[in-house]
Amino acid sequence: MPWFKAQLPVGGWAAQRILISGASGGIGQALANELATAGAQLLITGRRTEALQRLNERYPHQVSSLAADLTRAEERAQLVEASRDAGINMLINAAGMNRMGLFETWSDDEIQHLLTLNLTSTLQLTRELLPQLLGAEHGWVVNLGSTFGTLGYPGQACYCASKFGLHGFSQALRRELSATRVRVLHVSPRATRTDMNAPEIERMNSELGNAMDSPEYVASEVRRAVERGRNEVQLGMPERFYSLINALMPGLVDRALARQLPVIRRFIGEPEQAS
């Protein structure tokens, strides 16, 4: 089957049947609001049942929910079965977590938990749902990455590892599926104001002058990217520039971030090292 460029509306948003992971908070919840308002039919999942239920009640004719821990194979299997029943043709992988800290302070369990949730379970869910997407008239995989999927940042080693991995997976899967009717979109938000952030992270971003977007803005940009048939989207002009410079001249970024390191150490509760 030849490659083609699918864009919405192909039947409009009302024709889309979308599974959103991580919909009980942050960007995932904003995406549920954005796409339900656009007219899509949604199956939402997350680990906070009450938050999912509120979305059910807000959009009773468009939203159904199934609480699931994506790191558990049996719960993913239930979600995939529900997706088949719902005729899902778009998967939006928005589940994830973050915790800032110097890498030396992380335990084995903490490393494994973050990588499993942010990367491994996302790959597993995508693989398990792929036959459903391949069988749809128009299929989509939308992965919510991060600026830190192209720009390694001190205090974020584990998170960067997971998001670099998700970015590479998205690129490889897109190329693998280039002769099918499934599109793969990778969106890289910059810092976003969500419940995932500890208060000190927002204070640190403020002191460093790092811009932060709202989840609602990110959700609107994801919608716009799908409508335009995009493959890759990096939000924020400075961040696009930094990622480009990091790819071409990483030494410049090394030196710039070295100047930020004392502030980063102060906010993540670690003592500064003597120079």
Side-chain angles (χ1 to χ4, degrees):
M1 183 181 300
W3 182 91
F4 74 106
K5 189 172 184 178
Q7 291 186 348
L8 290 180
V10 176
W13 282 104
Q16 310 310 308
R17 303 293 182 265
I18 306 172
L19 170 61
I20 304 176
S21 71
S24 57
I27 295 172
Q29 189 172 74
L31 279 164
N33 282 305
E34 177 78 20
L35 299 180
T37 300
Q41 296 291 318
L42 308 180
L43 172 60
I44 59 175
T45 188
R47 290 186 287 185
R48 293 192 294 168
T49 304
E50 291 182 1
L52 298 176
Q53 184 59 37
R54 286 194 294 271
L55 286 165
N56 278 141
E57 293 170 356
R58 189 176 305 157
Y59 307 102
H61 303 297
Q62 291 175 262
V63 174
S64 59
S65 64
L66 177 61
D69 180 347
L70 298 183
T71 67
R72 298 180 179 274
E74 64 276 12
E75 296 188 28
R76 285 199 315 275
Q78 293 171 0
L79 189 58
V80 170
E81 183 177 357
S83 297
R84 293 189 184 118
D85 293 341
I88 294 299
N89 69 302
M90 181 183 297
L91 167 62
I92 301 182
N93 288 307
M97 64 165 291
N98 191 14
R99 180 180 73 80
M100 218 173 165
L102 296 184
F103 185 61
E104 66 197 60
T105 69
W106 284 64
S107 69
D108 287 350
D109 287 345
E110 288 170 333
I111 293 171
Q112 182 174 348
H113 179 63
L114 184 143
L115 292 177
T116 298
L117 178 59
N118 286 11
L119 184 59
T120 306
S121 63
T122 294
L123 269 62
Q124 291 168 329
L125 177 62
T126 304
R127 183 202 64 209
E128 291 158 8
L129 197 61
L130 197 53
Q132 169 79 16
L133 301 177
L134 287 166
E137 183 178 357
H138 303 291
W140 285 82
V141 176
V142 180
N143 292 327
L144 268 293
S146 168
T147 295
F148 294 156
T150 54
L151 180 67
Y153 199 80
Q156 298 272 16
C158 290
Y159 185 71
C160 287
S162 69
K163 293 303 182 179
F164 266 79
L166 185 62
H167 190 197
F169 166 67
S170 301
Q171 188 176 83
L173 185 64
R174 180 184 308 120
R175 292 166 178 171
E176 188 172 313
L177 299 177
S178 62
T180 77
R181 291 184 178 271
V182 177
R183 295 294 302 270
V184 179
L185 165 64
H186 181 267
V187 179
S188 300
R190 59 184 177 182
T192 308
R193 290 188 176 90
T194 70
D195 294 340
M196 188 168 67
N197 296 326
E200 60 269 21
I201 301 306
E202 296 209 9
R203 292 196 297 270
M204 182 194 74
N205 282 326
S206 178
E207 182 166 331
L208 292 173
N210 296 334
M212 297 188 73
D213 293 325
S214 69
E216 291 74 21
Y217 170 76
V218 175
S220 70
E221 289 299 301
V222 171
R223 173 183 171 180
R224 186 195 304 266
V226 173
E227 289 173 348
R228 293 181 175 181
R230 298 287 299 277
N231 291 332
E232 293 272 352
V233 175
Q234 167 67 66
L235 301 184
M237 175 55 72
E239 287 74 15
R240 288 197 292 273
F241 176 72
Y242 298 152
S243 294
L244 177 61
I245 293 299
N246 188 58
L248 297 175
M249 294 177 285
L252 291 180
V253 181
D254 289 345
R255 291 190 288 274
L257 292 181
R259 291 193 291 271
Q260 293 188 2
L261 190 56
V263 175
I264 294 169
R265 286 181 175 275
R266 173 157 52 83
F267 277 97
I268 62 179
E270 298 294 337
E272 297 181 21
Q273 294 181 348
S275 59

